[in-house]
Amino acid sequence: MSSLENDLEQLKKAIVEGDPDLAEQLAKKILESKMDPLKAIYESVVPGILKAGELWEQNIYFIPDVIMSAEAFKSAMSILEKSIPISTIENKSIGKYLICTVEGDIHDLGKSIVVTMLKAAGFIVYDLGVDVPIKKFIEKVKEIKPDIVGLGAYMSTTAVTLKDYIQALKNEGLRDKVKVMIGGVRTSQEYANNIGADAWGKDGVDTIKKAKKLMGVEK
Amino acid sequence: MSFVPPSKIDMIKGFLYAKGLRFIKLNPNSRAVAATIGKPDYVPVIGAQIHEHALTVAKADPERFFYKDGKYCVAVQLYVSKWYGFEQPMGMAPEAYNYEVEALGGKLLKTKKHMPSIDQSDPLIKNPEDIDKVKTPIKIDQGRIRFVIDSINAYKELTGNPPSAFFCAPFSFICGIHSYVRVIRNIRKNPEFIHKLLTWSIDEVLVPYLQLLKKETGANYAVGADAWAAIPNVNKEILEKFVFPYNEKLKIEAKKKGITAVVAGTADYCIEDPKNFDPELMKWCWYHEGKALFGRPGIFMGMGKTELWPIDVIKEFIKENTSMFWKPPVIASCSASFIRDSSPYEITNYVKRIIDNLGRDGHLSFFLAQIPADAPPINVHSFVNASKIYGKYPIIENLDEIEFKLPEFKSYEEWYREEASKGRAIEYE
């Protein structure tokens, strides 16, 4: 194994094991070696975070492990992404995903893990943040024209407003142009069905599986 | 275990009834005691965590409920709980994770219509040196401490029960003041700081805070909330090193000040997907959560998908932990999505299944750990109704012989008007 191959392997390991400092150092080293940053992203960074997701799914990793892997992922990406032209990222993406939590809901933790996983899966993610009113949401849907919107609600008093966002998309003639996913601790597949969403994302891993399915890139 | 501190007389009555003295008349508090140690007259639904649901059912003013009027906040929860027929209506200031952090200067993200949350992206203690900048102890005029005190006093006044304080358990408190992600990061990078932060939180913040609440309300019993220390928010290693020892320390330090503190939610098993259920880890969690609540092993079904928990594993746990002097009690529940999305028939069947499998010899009660805002009231009434019908001791051999009926109940508005006209409810408007 060459030194560079070893660095790529170590970078993947740093992400799986959740070591943000080491991931940053290795990402810098890889850039200094003039390696194509896309190679590092696709061979180390993305497989690293997806492996952490697999371990979560297998019940081997708990949330703290996933968070640390996500931190390591972000550390490496923040270094590597700077060297990639935006057009390259757009060409390689599988779709545009707009995400936010609904008005009155200021919970960010679950959404930030979902955002990390979506980026790793190849989506261009537009994160509107938390506590986003319907008006702003609709404006951004019109402006960005996402393939999928993801709406998060983490309290039962805010989950009841998810249907209003879907209704607003209908009122604006946008519902047929965009897929809608919902997520958050107070939601479920049944709830998604009841309010007319296209899919429910149970967690980060489940969200990317279903988002890819909605995009037709995974069965 | 009870969220209402049982008086000595209720303890004795509950104990004697459970041991066979059936002529004793149980009240809700002694019934909860009897259900923990044996058979009461029926399987009680002790209470529910109900704030978001109560707010919706009573069409209450959210701003007043969350921010302005502690008595109003408690009364709304108590009345909705009474309407459902819970044994020990819970009425508390609902933000168990916010008040202490807010009082110390932590940033809350507030909206008028919904419960606020601590801003996890901008915590009060970002770095180890910040700990010295936080002024302790918490004083009565900081944040919404008066609101909390008003709520505890209102509970005492409106129920006649002894006052009970609520607080944020040490691990969950540091997840508020330092942020959960930073806590997790520093558990790996700087564990000494996390130990220091936990010790500081107990000695400088939480125990003095409980003393303040005791002084202002007389509450010498306090229940701590610890949802951040649930599985999978934490793992076994974190629980063993950073949670259990500090809950124990808190209990000891509080006891020295004449306060009995229990912690709820630590090691709560919240893995959602049945295919990922790990029976050994479940048992380990039940053992520890039970010890925190009852002082001995017992099952408290908290915030997880408890309706999916394997009954056989629960039975195994009970068998493995039963001794001559103790049989683990079960406080059963169901998830927020189950109580919201199921039909009354499905809910009734669930209650029936739990009673049939776990309640025949007593040691069973129910506590609805979470009722979401939009749960249909008929579902909650069905739950309570089923518990009374199927859970009446002695429990009949074949519960299927009891015909399923939808519960009959007055609308909340009608019920409330009647209560108010009889002087049993405060008219606020």
Side-chain angles (χ1 to χ4, degrees):
Chain A
M1 191 185 281
S2 72
S3 163
L4 262 178
E5 282 171 340
N6 186 49
D7 287 344
L8 286 175
E9 195 55 38
Q10 289 303 312
L11 177 56
K12 181 182 169 186
K13 191 165 176 257
I15 291 166
V16 176
E17 293 178 359
D19 188 336
D21 296 340
L22 182 60
E24 188 180 322
Q25 276 174 31
L26 287 164
K28 282 178 181 165
K29 194 175 168 197
I30 286 166
L31 272 191
E32 282 162 12
S33 72
K34 308 290 181 205
M35 181 196 278
D36 179 359
L38 277 175
K39 183 176 165 68
I41 289 173
Y42 289 120
E43 291 186 13
S44 298
V45 180
V46 169
I49 191 71
L50 294 180
K51 179 71 188 171
E54 267 178 43
L55 293 168
W56 159 255
E57 265 204 312
Q58 292 163 9
N59 218 21
I60 295 167
Y61 267 18
F62 287 7
I63 292 174
D65 309 297
V66 177
I67 283 176
M68 292 312 293
S69 290
E71 296 251 305
F73 171 86
K74 285 184 218 165
S75 293
M77 285 297 279
S78 68
I79 303 296
L80 297 170
E81 268 180 338
K82 284 179 197 159
S83 308
I84 306 167
I86 289 181
S87 58
T88 308
I89 296 172
E90 283 177 353
N91 288 339
K92 294 248 176 201
S93 86
I94 57 174
K96 290 194 273 187
Y97 197 112
L98 184 147
I99 191 166
C100 65
T101 63
V102 297
E103 186 169 17
D105 206 311
I106 43 235
H107 294 83
D108 196 50
L109 183 64
K111 179 173 69 60
S112 71
I113 294 175
V114 170
V115 167
T116 303
M117 299 303 284
L118 285 167
K119 283 181 178 172
F123 282 93
I124 298 179
V125 182
Y126 298 85
D127 184 358
L128 303 186
V130 297
D131 189 20
V132 176
I134 290 178
K135 195 175 165 215
K136 183 179 172 190
F137 167 73
I138 293 293
E139 280 169 12
K140 289 291 175 184
V141 172
K142 286 179 180 169
E143 180 192 322
I144 293 163
K145 298 182 178 59
D147 300 290
I148 304 174
V149 295
L151 293 160
Y154 301 85
M155 298 189 289
S156 66
T157 52
T158 55
V160 296
T161 67
L162 285 164
K163 63 179 185 311
D164 302 334
Y165 286 71
I166 295 174
Q167 188 58 47
L169 287 170
K170 284 181 189 165
N171 296 347
E172 296 290 329
L174 295 165
R175 182 64 187 92
D176 297 338
K177 295 172 184 156
V178 66
K179 300 290 184 191
V180 179
M181 292 188 72
I182 63 164
V185 70
R186 293 287 177 257
T187 60
S188 61
Q189 186 57 55
E190 198 165 6
Y191 200 69
N193 298 342
N194 288 343
I195 64 170
D198 294 299
W200 169 62
K202 186 179 72 173
D203 54 31
V205 178
D206 191 49
T207 300
I208 59 172
K209 275 186 191 164
K210 287 176 179 165
K212 281 180 167 180
K213 203 171 164 189
L214 289 174
M215 294 300 296
V217 293
E218 200 169 90
K219 284 182 184 174
Chain B
M1 179 270 168
S2 167
F3 287 96
V4 177
S7 66
K8 278 185 185 154
I9 193 82
D10 287 337
M11 292 272 279
I12 293 166
K13 277 185 178 177
F15 177 82
L16 292 175
Y17 192 96
K19 293 298 166 197
L21 298 181
R22 304 286 183 214
F23 58 85
I24 290 169
K25 193 168 162 45
L26 293 175
N27 66 19
N29 297 346
S30 53
R31 184 171 292 114
V33 173
T36 303
I37 55 177
K39 281 185 202 171
D41 44 356
Y42 58 86
V43 179
V45 182
I46 298 171
Q49 190 158 245
I50 200 173
H51 48 274
E52 289 182 344
H53 183 71
L55 182 73
T56 312
V57 167
K59 298 184 179 70
D61 171 1
E63 202 176 357
R64 189 173 170 194
F65 184 89
F66 287 122
Y67 299 105
K68 293 181 175 170
D69 188 343
K71 186 170 182 179
Y72 175 76
C73 174
V74 164
V76 166
Q77 294 175 73
L78 285 177
Y79 296 144
V80 174
S81 295
K82 278 173 81 173
W83 177 55
Y84 283 129
F86 297 141
E87 298 283 324
Q88 295 177 322
M90 233 171 110
M92 55 183 271
E95 298 165 45
Y97 302 97
N98 294 351
Y99 300 117
E100 295 95 323
V101 172
E102 181 189 35
L104 293 170
K107 191 171 150 195
L108 254 60
L109 296 167
K110 294 179 179 174
T111 57
K112 280 187 179 176
K113 289 184 183 170
H114 307 283
M115 196 163 84
S117 292
I118 293 170
D119 186 352
Q120 288 272 328
S121 68
D122 187 14
L124 190 60
I125 296 178
K126 293 184 185 61
N127 302 300
E129 59 273 20
D130 294 341
I131 201 169
D132 298 325
K133 296 177 199 161
V134 181
K135 284 187 183 160
T136 57
I138 290 171
K139 296 194 176 75
I140 192 168
D141 54 355
Q142 289 175 309
R144 283 174 292 161
I145 300 304
R146 280 187 197 279
F147 177 98
V148 173
I149 288 166
D150 288 348
S151 72
I152 297 171
N153 284 329
Y155 179 80
K156 186 168 58 174
E157 179 197 330
L158 295 172
T159 65
N161 281 325
S164 177
F166 287 84
F167 67 100
C168 185
F171 185 80
S172 290
F173 172 76
I174 69 163
C175 288
I177 203 154
H178 186 45
S179 88
Y180 170 69
V181 171
R182 282 178 170 84
V183 167
I184 295 304
R185 195 185 295 151
N186 277 324
I187 278 175
R188 290 202 188 173
K189 288 176 76 173
N190 190 358
E192 287 314 309
F193 170 62
I194 297 299
H195 285 298
K196 182 182 169 187
L197 193 57
L198 284 160
T199 304
W200 170 85
S201 75
I202 293 166
D203 294 341
E204 305 295 326
V205 181
L206 298 174
V207 173
Y209 176 60
L210 291 178
Q211 284 180 273
L212 171 68
L213 295 182
K214 185 184 172 192
K215 179 174 162 245
E216 296 296 329
T217 67
N220 56 11
Y221 182 83
V223 181
D226 207 9
W228 281 114
I231 298 272
N233 291 341
V234 292
N235 55 27
K236 264 175 92 169
E237 189 187 356
I238 293 175
L239 282 164
E240 283 175 330
K241 288 185 182 164
F242 297 93
V243 183
F244 297 150
Y246 292 97
N247 283 352
E248 208 48 44
K249 176 178 163 60
L250 178 117
K251 275 188 201 172
I252 292 166
E253 297 302 325
K255 197 77 201 165
K256 286 179 192 167
K257 309 294 180 191
I259 300 158
T260 301
V262 297
V263 176
T266 307
D268 193 18
Y269 191 82
C270 294
I271 301 287
E272 296 206 334
D273 193 338
K275 79 174 190 313
N276 285 333
F277 285 167
D278 174 346
E280 287 313 306
L281 183 58
M282 288 176 124
K283 287 181 186 176
W284 186 86
C285 288
W286 296 336
Y287 180 86
H288 287 284
E289 192 172 15
K291 277 195 88 169
L293 286 168
F294 310 108
R296 295 174 187 192
I299 296 180
F300 177 75
M301 296 186 181
M303 306 294 276
K305 292 266 186 196
T306 54
E307 68 278 3
L308 302 177
W309 285 5
I311 294 277
D312 288 350
V313 179
I314 296 174
K315 284 182 172 174
E316 263 174 40
F317 173 83
I318 292 170
K319 197 174 169 189
E320 287 161 10
N321 289 282
T322 297
S323 67
M324 194 184 290
F325 305 106
W326 181 254
K327 183 180 176 190
V330 177
I331 298 184
S333 187
C334 66
S335 69
S337 53
F338 186 80
I339 195 80
R340 182 189 58 198
D341 300 333
S342 305
S343 67
Y345 182 71
E346 287 165 330
I347 287 165
T348 301
N349 267 347
Y350 170 68
V351 173
K352 192 165 102 177
R353 182 165 67 91
I354 291 288
I355 290 169
D356 198 16
N357 282 280
L358 302 172
R360 293 195 169 274
D361 296 327
H363 306 271
L364 175 68
S365 51
F366 290 101
F367 177 81
L368 284 164
Q370 38 179 349
I371 306 180
D374 52 342
I378 193 169
N379 287 5
V380 184
H381 278 296
S382 295
F383 197 107
V384 176
N385 198 44
S387 174
K388 284 186 177 156
I389 291 172
Y390 295 95
K392 193 169 182 296
Y393 288 104
I395 290 165
I396 65 165
E397 185 62 30
N398 182 6
L399 289 176
D400 289 338
E401 287 172 6
I402 300 173
E403 191 190 349
F404 168 76
K405 281 183 191 159
L406 283 174
E408 289 176 9
F409 57 94
K410 292 173 186 164
S411 73
Y412 178 75
E413 289 78 9
E414 191 187 342
W415 174 88
Y416 182 79
R417 269 197 309 274
E418 283 182 18
E419 289 292 299
S421 70
K422 292 171 192 162
R424 293 200 292 248
I426 299 166
E427 293 205 61
Y428 272 98
E429 305 305 334

